[in-house]
């Protein structure tokens, strides 16, 4: 249950000394990937909000979302309408989520209790280390 976190630069032309110019990628072992894909096949949301989400869904991406937004704006502006848009930046939102409450929400979505308990066990015992160039820190 150990993963290696590797920071990747977002903007190579940007400030490489700015911590916000990096995103962390966790590299997990093959067993973990197999386990997670097996578990994912048992978790299907019945929540209506999920169908409007673009990220983290098969055949959906933020590029698709951007394209749909552009087409919608073009449609209304070409007909003389005004378009007002509001964006919400959930930057680093997952880092601030209470993961135990998230597991409760999964239970509310009628996912099997034993499966949720297994997820809680799995996530609470994961350990990480960070690799920067050729250096790796101790597990935490």
């Amino acid at each position: 249950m150990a993963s290696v976190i590797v920071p990747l630069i977002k903007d190579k032309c940007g400030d490489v000394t700015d911590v916000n110019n990096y995103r962390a990628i966790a590299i997990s072992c093959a067993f973990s990937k197999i386990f997670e894909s097996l578990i994912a096949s048992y978790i299907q949301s019945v929540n209506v909000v999920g169908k409007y989400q673009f990220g983290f869904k098969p055949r959906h991406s933020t590029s698709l979302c951007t394209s749909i937004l552009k087409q919608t704006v073009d449609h209304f502006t070409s007909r003389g309408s005004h378009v007002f848009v509001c964006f919400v930046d959930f930057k680093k939102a997952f880092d601030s989520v209470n993961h135990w409450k998230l597991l409760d929400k999964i239970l509310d979505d009628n996912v099997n209790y034993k499966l949720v308990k297994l997820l809680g066990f799995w996530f609470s015992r994961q350990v990480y280390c960070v690799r920067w160039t050729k250096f790796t820190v101790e597990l935490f």
Side-chain angles (χ1 to χ4, degrees):
M1 290 191 273
S3 296
V4 177
I5 298 174
V6 179
L8 297 179
I9 193 160
K10 292 179 187 177
D11 180 7
K12 292 180 182 176
C13 297
D15 183 2
V16 295
T17 62
D18 181 7
V19 69
N20 295 312
N21 194 22
Y22 290 86
R23 63 186 158 119
I25 302 296
I27 302 170
S28 302
C29 69
F31 176 76
S32 177
K33 296 291 185 185
I34 293 168
F35 173 74
E36 290 170 8
S37 63
L38 288 172
I39 296 266
S41 67
Y42 287 97
I43 299 176
Q44 297 297 321
S45 178
V46 295
N47 191 334
V48 175
V49 177
K51 72 180 185 179
Y52 300 112
Q53 179 176 327
F54 283 89
F56 307 106
K57 280 178 71 174
R59 296 175 301 282
H60 288 74
S61 69
T62 54
S63 298
L64 177 62
C65 180
T66 304
S67 175
I68 290 171
L69 174 65
K70 185 178 180 326
Q71 290 174 21
T72 303
V73 170
D74 289 347
H75 172 82
F76 285 101
T77 56
S78 69
R79 289 163 174 74
S81 293
H82 296 284
V83 177
F84 301 93
V85 179
C86 175
F87 294 96
V88 178
D89 183 6
F90 291 111
K91 182 172 131 185
K92 300 182 182 177
F94 189 75
D95 296 341
S96 61
V97 168
N98 180 326
H99 296 98
W100 299 112
K101 285 185 181 179
L102 184 60
L103 290 172
D104 280 340
K105 293 292 183 187
I106 294 172
L107 281 172
D108 292 344
D109 216 13
N110 295 322
V111 174
N112 183 291
Y113 172 77
K114 290 179 181 177
L115 186 59
V116 176
K117 190 174 177 181
L118 178 62
L119 285 171
F121 174 84
W122 181 259
F123 291 129
S124 67
R125 285 168 176 71
Q126 288 185 331
V127 291
Y128 299 91
C129 66
V130 177
R131 185 175 67 213
W132 180 260
T133 60
K134 60 182 176 180
F135 301 100
T136 304
V137 300
E138 290 182 31
L139 290 171
F140 61 92

